[in-house]
Amino acid sequence: MASNPTRSVPALAPVGSVRVADHDPVGARFIVCLVRSWLLLLLLLVPGILAATPDGGPLCGLVRDADEGALLPGVLVRWEDQQGGVLTDAQGRFCLPARQAGEHRLRVETMGFAPLERSVRIPAEGPVPEMELSLARRALELPGIQVLAEEGRGGGSSGSTSRIDRATIEHLQASSLADLFQLLPGQISTNPSLAGARQPLLRQLPTTAAAGRAAALGTALVVDGAPLSNAANLQTDLTILNAGPESPPPFSSTAGGAPDLRRISPDEIESLEVIRGVPSVRHGEVTAGAILLRTRIGAREPEVRTRLNPTLFDISGTAGGGDGVERSGWSATVVYTASQNDPRQPVEGYDRGTVNLAWRSPELAGGTLRNSLRLQAFRTLDERRRDPDDFRQQREQRALDRGVRATLSGEWEPERLNDRVRFTWTASGSVEDQEGSYQSLVNRSISPIATAFSDTTMVAEYGPSEYLNRTTVHGRPIHAYARVEGEARGGLGGWRHRLRAGLEFRHDENRGDGRRFDLATPPRKNYSVGDRPRAYSDVPALQIISAYLEDRLSGSLLGREVELEAGLRFDNVNPRGPFSGQFGTELQPRGNLQIIPAPDALPALALRAGAGRLAKAPPLAYLFPGPRYFDLVNLNYYHPDAAQRLLILTTRVVEPSNEGARSFTTRKVEGGLSWRGARSPVGHPLRGVDAHLTLFHERTRGAYGWDRALVSFPVERFQVLETPAGRPPVVAPDPARVDTFFTAYDVPAPTWAYDTRGLELTLDLPEWSAARTSLSLTGGWFRTRARNEAPTIDVWAFVGSSRPAERAGVYPSSGTRRERATTTLHLIHRVPEVGMVLTGSLQTVWWDRDRATGITPYPEGFVDRAARVTSLTPEEARSEAFRDLRRTLPETAGVEERRPPLPMLNLRLSKALPAGLELSFFLNNALSHRPLHERRRGTGFERRNPPLFFGAEVTGRVGGWR
């Protein structure tokens, strides 16, 4: 009747499964061949590098005062992706060295004026037209000031990219980095809040906790060219079996995910680039996307900013001097934030303090050697203090994080080669001190005090039935990062090439004291699952060595302009050799293609496509979860007289294995089209229009989550022979019987999969000069499916019962599907003469649907008390012989939750005031539209849209600073 009695189920294994061998000779040969091919191509390009002149010649122009029209000397003009630049002369004139054809980002800055950024397109042939740039003393006085994310304006990636500049950040009045993502296509706006840890979700919709954590973990956060790592975060807690395996610890923690985005204040950010498509191979340890953040550096007048709303007080100050060309440039930023999400709960709050110092060297060796150093110190505190009226439970929770970070970066351009060869380097190191703690009263039956750390049987003591437990989790993550990169530009066969090669090193370890508590008063536990303190300094380190090669070539093919960026990345996780690692190796080919099909007739129209493989290594929390303890009672003889008690306890230790653990991967594919109106001929009806449409599909496999594994132990039961007065009882030397005891524990498992497909749209229309108003439309349709590919075992058939069942059902994998379509229409009214910008945003969620998938009452097999798994055919599963294995599911288990369209109006105003002051104000959900939606699954109603919320920001600047 039953077949295949030896099939294994992943949830029964300690952890994961082996998917590939550590050593891959085929991959090694492929890498060697590829390196040889690239070296040959580099040799062929040498004549072009040494002799050819970069396309278009130098970029020259003038810089003026926007108010008075006067030419400005001493203004720093530089390409954004380079640290150095040139200063305008006494007549306000500048000339930057020649650059390769294509679109580049220009940055202009000087003391007393708002920084200016401009996209510049270098033509493939002919001279570069001269530019005239105007600087306003305040950004609000600039005509056409950008207050939304700019699509497709990234610094060198052809994939879907959005850019957010400083003026946009100030207009939005965000409270943390997380609030800025609402500017991306398809995202929805929320009220600024610092309650609860914030994680990035770029294209994925919220579905399950495991899928959300994996998507956040796969989002690279790169600050000033160096990644902000969370791989050594071990702020976790042991989950009791009454809670789900994905339950978070009682205190705030992002272990297993991305760094907490609340840690980064918007006042630290100069610009932000979000890569949602296929990133360059220089970006590693990424699956979902990359967030490239640049902190503020360089000359600026002293500035004090105060931000207020009903839940937050924020104050920051910044100042800077020097130009980084003829003399050193420096800047300093200090931020303090206090937040209380609910005024009715004064015991809960979040505090943040950061100090950022930045230094940029003057140009050395004829303007070809540049260095910069950035230092940061931060402190965050997320706590729930003890309520003065809580005399009984005495609950409190606390998460205190402190750290320092240093980043040194530099670049060198050989002067003779005139921007055709460049070498860059980055080194970063950080040390954090994390302390999470919680306290509460534990009530339970009289239980043993377990103290053994190895397999043993011993006489134990009885513990109290009620006690106050305090558990502290102390971590000290240490992260080191280094990268060296070389870049060469040249021509070959009529094509322009930009070759890039680099090496990376990452090191993450944790030297904290770990989980600490008194063994006599341990955290709450059940079902014989024990708990012990654990030192994190015993956890091995995680190291990754990477190499990447990339070529960005552009030219003409069959009358069409073509730009192709193609590269390969190789990651070796905990290396054992050049091509083998303890946790495997990963080859990641990636490419982006852009074609202008009619460069003469329609130069503004471009077709885009991208595809690639991305990988992310699991963090220490998944690789080294630590031993699991089980305390099994052999004899429990409790007597009112303590002298006559006897408790015999057996401790069993299970060490989850990480054998076969390796990186999880994502395959990205996207395609679309863009219309850049600025490239159209003068007089074209669509010259001022920018539009971007992207279709994408992302497929992630092997993502890590937590599964509940079933385990059984033989337990010897002893019998009391005599009970002498005043002494412990006499026990028979041999056990009276041997029982099989079933319990469970949570293990990391690379069995999660999620797929996201969708559409992103942005449309920017030119300003209607009569009304001084422009329109912008962004939108997105996303569909995310998340599931655990491992089957589900009914562990409760065995666990928690004095008479376990003879068999437990094994059920097919299940998951969640969610779909959402949104648009946001922005109306932007600008009056630069008085320094005012007013923005109205109408957001509409057209539909929002979700449902559970793969849920069935019928098993696909069963596991018996000997841990043997037996598969069942569909006919067998529905037969009466296995009726006892059928699950009882709610009638609404498979019902799709469908929410009707939902509009919301947000308003934002920024205004320049006299005496160097600026005032900003926002009003979210201005119409207070919060309809009730009756749930189709379950009972009750859901209140939609956030509540009406408002806030203000005042900025003061001190003029005349030098």
Side-chain angles (χ1 to χ4, degrees):
M1 180 175 66
S3 59
N4 191 17
T6 61
R7 185 178 67 87
S8 64
V9 176
L12 292 175
V15 64
S17 59
V18 178
R19 289 184 288 171
V20 299
D22 286 339
H23 184 63
D24 182 8
V26 177
R29 290 196 298 269
F30 177 74
I31 294 173
V32 171
C33 292
L34 185 69
V35 171
R36 289 175 177 172
S37 301
W38 280 73
L39 290 176
L40 177 60
L41 179 59
L42 181 61
L43 290 174
L44 293 174
L45 287 175
V46 166
I49 293 173
L50 295 177
T53 301
D55 306 304
L59 174 68
C60 299
L62 299 173
V63 180
R64 294 182 180 274
D65 184 329
D67 296 331
E68 303 174 359
L71 296 171
L72 297 176
V75 177
L76 174 62
V77 183
R78 64 183 178 90
W79 299 114
E80 193 203 34
D81 61 348
Q82 291 183 343
Q83 296 186 27
V86 298
L87 296 176
T88 55
D89 59 20
Q91 288 74 41
R93 184 173 179 79
F94 69 90
C95 277
L96 279 172
R99 277 225 139 178
Q100 190 177 21
E103 192 160 334
H104 303 276
R105 196 82 178 177
L106 189 70
R107 182 173 177 86
V108 185
E109 56 189 36
T110 189
M111 186 69 68
F113 290 85
L116 174 68
E117 292 193 0
R118 181 75 59 85
S119 290
V120 178
R121 186 164 183 83
I122 304 297
E125 298 178 358
V128 182
E130 289 209 359
M131 302 185 65
E132 185 164 308
L133 304 171
S134 297
L135 294 184
R137 298 189 180 274
R138 291 188 278 194
L140 293 174
E141 298 171 353
L142 284 171
I145 176 178
Q146 183 61 243
V147 293
L148 299 176
E150 295 182 89
E151 188 67 16
R153 302 289 185 179
S157 174
S158 301
S160 299
T161 305
S162 296
R163 182 182 174 83
I164 302 172
D165 290 328
R166 182 67 208 165
T168 306
I169 296 172
E170 293 178 355
H171 186 65
L172 185 65
Q173 304 168 62
S175 62
S176 73
L177 173 61
D179 296 332
L180 301 178
F181 298 144
Q182 62 187 275
L183 297 173
L184 304 179
Q187 300 293 324
I188 60 176
S189 63
T190 58
N191 290 334
S193 173
L194 296 178
R198 304 293 297 274
Q199 296 281 272
L201 284 178
L202 301 183
R203 280 175 167 169
Q204 297 74 20
L205 295 177
T207 50
T208 66
R213 189 178 294 112
L217 177 63
T219 303
L221 181 56
V222 182
V223 181
D224 298 319
L228 198 64
S229 177
N230 200 46
N233 187 336
L234 293 173
Q235 298 301 103
T236 59
D237 195 49
L238 185 67
T239 303
I240 64 173
L241 296 185
N242 293 76
E246 295 288 343
S247 300
F251 50 84
S252 177
S253 173
T254 61
D260 192 346
L261 299 182
R262 296 179 299 174
R263 169 180 155 183
I264 300 177
S265 167
D267 295 326
E268 306 172 40
I269 304 172
E270 186 67 51
S271 64
L272 185 70
E273 184 178 331
V274 182
I275 303 175
R276 306 182 307 280
V278 181
S280 162
V281 293
R282 75 194 306 259
H283 300 301
E285 286 295 279
V286 55
T287 57
I291 303 168
L292 313 182
L293 185 152
R294 288 184 180 272
T295 59
R296 306 178 74 175
I297 187 173
R300 55 178 42 85
E301 294 176 331
E303 171 187 294
V304 177
R305 185 183 308 274
T306 302
R307 186 179 299 114
L308 293 169
N309 64 49
T311 65
L312 177 141
F313 168 77
D314 183 283
I315 186 168
S316 66
T318 183
D323 52 43
V325 178
E326 296 180 349
R327 57 195 178 100
S328 297
W330 64 271
S331 64
T333 302
V334 180
V335 182
Y336 173 73
T337 307
S339 172
Q340 184 179 311
N341 192 58
D342 188 345
R344 298 168 299 178
Q345 299 292 334
V347 297
E348 299 178 1
Y350 178 85
D351 292 346
R352 174 183 64 201
T354 61
V355 176
N356 287 271
L357 304 175
W359 170 84
R360 186 163 54 202
S361 71
E363 296 190 349
L364 305 174
T368 62
L369 179 62
R370 313 173 186 102
N371 288 284
S372 66
L373 175 65
R374 289 174 167 90
L375 302 175
Q376 182 197 56
F378 75 93
R379 178 187 182 273
T380 63
L381 175 63
D382 190 339
E383 66 176 343
R384 183 190 185 278
R385 299 180 297 276
R386 178 182 168 184
D387 192 320
D389 297 328
D390 182 13
F391 299 105
R392 172 68 176 159
Q393 298 296 328
Q394 305 178 56
R395 294 189 183 95
E396 61 180 53
Q397 300 159 6
R398 192 169 189 257
L400 173 64
D401 288 5
R402 295 162 291 188
V404 293
R405 185 174 190 261
T407 302
L408 174 67
S409 58
E411 61 183 30
W412 175 56
E413 297 176 346
E415 189 173 7
R416 288 183 59 253
L417 299 180
N418 192 23
D419 195 43
R420 293 191 290 274
V421 174
R422 182 168 62 145
F423 299 95
T424 62
W425 54 88
T426 302
S428 177
S430 65
V431 179
E432 298 182 33
D433 191 86
Q434 302 173 328
E435 184 174 299
S437 63
Y438 60 92
Q439 175 181 285
S440 64
L441 189 70
V442 176
N443 296 280
R444 61 177 187 175
S445 59
I446 296 177
S447 302
I449 298 176
T451 59
F453 284 82
S454 60
D455 290 353
T456 187
T457 299
M458 60 183 292
V459 175
E461 298 291 331
Y462 285 99
S465 61
E466 182 176 282
Y467 56 87
L468 186 67
N469 163 256
R470 182 173 184 83
T471 299
T472 300
V473 183
H474 176 259
R476 185 171 289 123
I478 300 173
H479 171 70
Y481 172 82
R483 182 184 70 212
V484 292
E485 181 181 280
E487 183 180 296
R489 303 169 187 257
L492 179 65
W495 289 80
R496 298 173 297 278
H497 292 261
R498 187 198 65 186
L499 293 176
R500 176 186 285 163
L503 294 173
E504 272 187 352
F505 172 75
R506 301 170 191 247
H507 176 94
D508 288 278
E509 63 176 313
N510 196 310
R511 287 291 174 257
D513 296 333
R515 294 184 71 245
R516 297 172 294 174
F517 55 86
D518 189 340
L519 287 173
T521 57
R524 188 182 303 275
K525 58 183 180 180
N526 53 12
Y527 304 111
S528 296
V529 178
D531 198 358
R532 303 291 190 276
R534 180 196 182 198
Y536 289 161
S537 56
D538 298 333
V539 177
L542 176 66
Q543 295 183 342
I544 303 175
I545 295 179
S546 307
Y548 56 88
L549 295 166
E550 184 178 73
D551 188 14
R552 188 184 183 99
L553 64 155
S554 56
S556 179
L557 180 65
L558 301 177
R560 295 166 175 81
E561 289 188 12
V562 177
E563 187 175 276
L564 173 65
E565 180 184 80
L568 180 70
R569 183 182 182 89
F570 174 74
D571 290 342
N572 190 341
V573 186
N574 271 20
R576 290 175 173 169
F579 303 108
S580 65
Q582 179 185 1
F583 301 118
T585 60
E586 293 293 341
L587 281 175
Q588 302 166 60
R590 304 176 198 168
N592 285 292
L593 175 67
Q594 178 175 284
I595 300 176
I596 299 179
D600 296 326
L602 291 173
L605 178 64
L607 306 180
R608 298 178 289 105
R613 186 174 189 269
L614 300 86
K616 170 67 179 180
L620 296 182
Y622 291 131
L623 292 175
F624 306 101
R628 298 293 187 253
Y629 297 88
F630 302 90
D631 300 314
L632 314 172
V633 177
N634 305 99
L635 175 68
N636 179 11
Y637 187 83
Y638 185 83
H639 193 276
D641 183 1
Q644 296 183 227
R645 298 171 186 171
L646 181 62
L647 178 62
I648 301 177
L649 193 68
T650 293
T651 296
R652 292 288 180 260
V653 184
V654 173
E655 185 72 53
S657 170
N658 58 23
E659 189 66 30
R662 63 169 301 154
S663 302
F664 65 95
T665 59
T666 294
R667 296 182 185 273
K668 280 178 177 272
V669 178
E670 68 172 20
L673 54 88
S674 298
W675 177 274
R676 297 280 183 81
R679 299 180 186 176
S680 303
V682 177
H684 194 283
L686 298 180
R687 178 171 172 79
V689 176
D690 273 12
H692 304 270
L693 177 66
T694 303
L695 298 171
F696 67 88
H697 182 208
E698 301 177 359
R699 180 178 181 271
T700 300
R701 294 295 181 269
Y704 279 76
W706 292 93
D707 263 351
R708 188 146 287 169
L710 189 65
V711 65
S712 64
F713 301 99
V715 182
E716 296 178 335
R717 306 295 187 182
F718 293 100
Q719 184 178 5
V720 173
L721 297 180
E722 298 180 23
T723 57
R727 291 188 300 166
V730 178
V731 179
D734 297 321
R737 69 180 191 277
V738 178
D739 294 338
T740 300
F741 183 83
F742 286 90
T743 185
Y745 65 105
D746 297 336
V747 294
T751 56
W752 280 90
Y754 59 90
D755 298 79
T756 300
R757 63 181 62 198
L759 175 149
E760 295 173 330
L761 168 70
T762 62
L763 175 64
D764 295 316
L765 301 180
E767 183 175 277
W768 181 22
S769 56
R772 295 188 171 186
T773 301
S774 61
L775 297 179
S776 176
L777 177 69
T778 65
W781 165 74
F782 300 150
R783 176 187 289 169
T784 298
R785 298 173 182 263
R787 69 182 186 279
N788 187 347
E789 295 188 313
T792 302
I793 298 179
D794 181 14
V795 298
W796 295 109
F798 291 152
V799 177
S801 174
S802 58
R803 300 183 62 183
E806 292 298 322
R807 58 189 181 183
V810 178
Y811 303 93
S813 62
S814 59
T816 303
R817 185 190 71 185
R818 186 169 185 180
E819 181 180 344
R820 186 176 71 198
T822 63
T823 60
T824 303
L825 178 64
H826 302 277
L827 283 80
I828 308 166
H829 180 63
R830 304 178 181 89
V831 188
E833 292 84 358
V834 297
M836 187 182 76
V837 177
L838 174 65
T839 303
S841 301
L842 179 62
Q843 172 189 285
T844 304
V845 179
W846 295 102
W847 66 80
D848 189 353
R849 309 165 183 166
D850 66 84
R851 63 173 298 176
T853 60
I855 295 183
T856 174
Y858 302 105
E860 65 177 16
F862 64 87
V863 56
D864 61 23
R865 298 183 64 180
R868 293 187 299 262
V869 180
T870 301
S871 295
L872 297 175
T873 65
E875 294 76 16
E876 291 171 340
R878 287 169 170 76
S879 68
E880 289 299 314
F882 298 99
R883 187 177 183 84
D884 61 304
L885 298 180
R886 295 181 192 174
R887 291 188 293 186
T888 301
L889 299 177
E891 293 182 359
T892 59
V895 173
E896 182 176 66
E897 195 70 66
R898 292 172 173 260
R899 302 169 182 86
L902 180 70
M904 184 172 71
L905 176 65
N906 299 330
L907 300 175
R908 282 180 171 79
L909 171 69
S910 296
K911 176 70 174 69
L913 302 176
L917 296 177
E918 290 182 8
L919 172 66
S920 298
F921 177 80
F922 75 89
L923 180 62
N924 285 351
N925 197 3
L927 302 180
S928 193
H929 179 58
R930 303 192 69 206
L932 286 172
H933 166 68
E934 185 175 5
R935 297 187 180 96
R936 302 181 66 191
R937 284 197 311 268
T939 58
F941 292 83
E942 172 187 349
R943 176 73 71 180
R944 305 184 68 197
N945 269 344
L948 181 146
F949 199 80
F950 59 90
E953 180 176 295
V954 178
T955 303
R957 296 183 175 90
V958 179
W961 169 269
R962 286 294 182 266

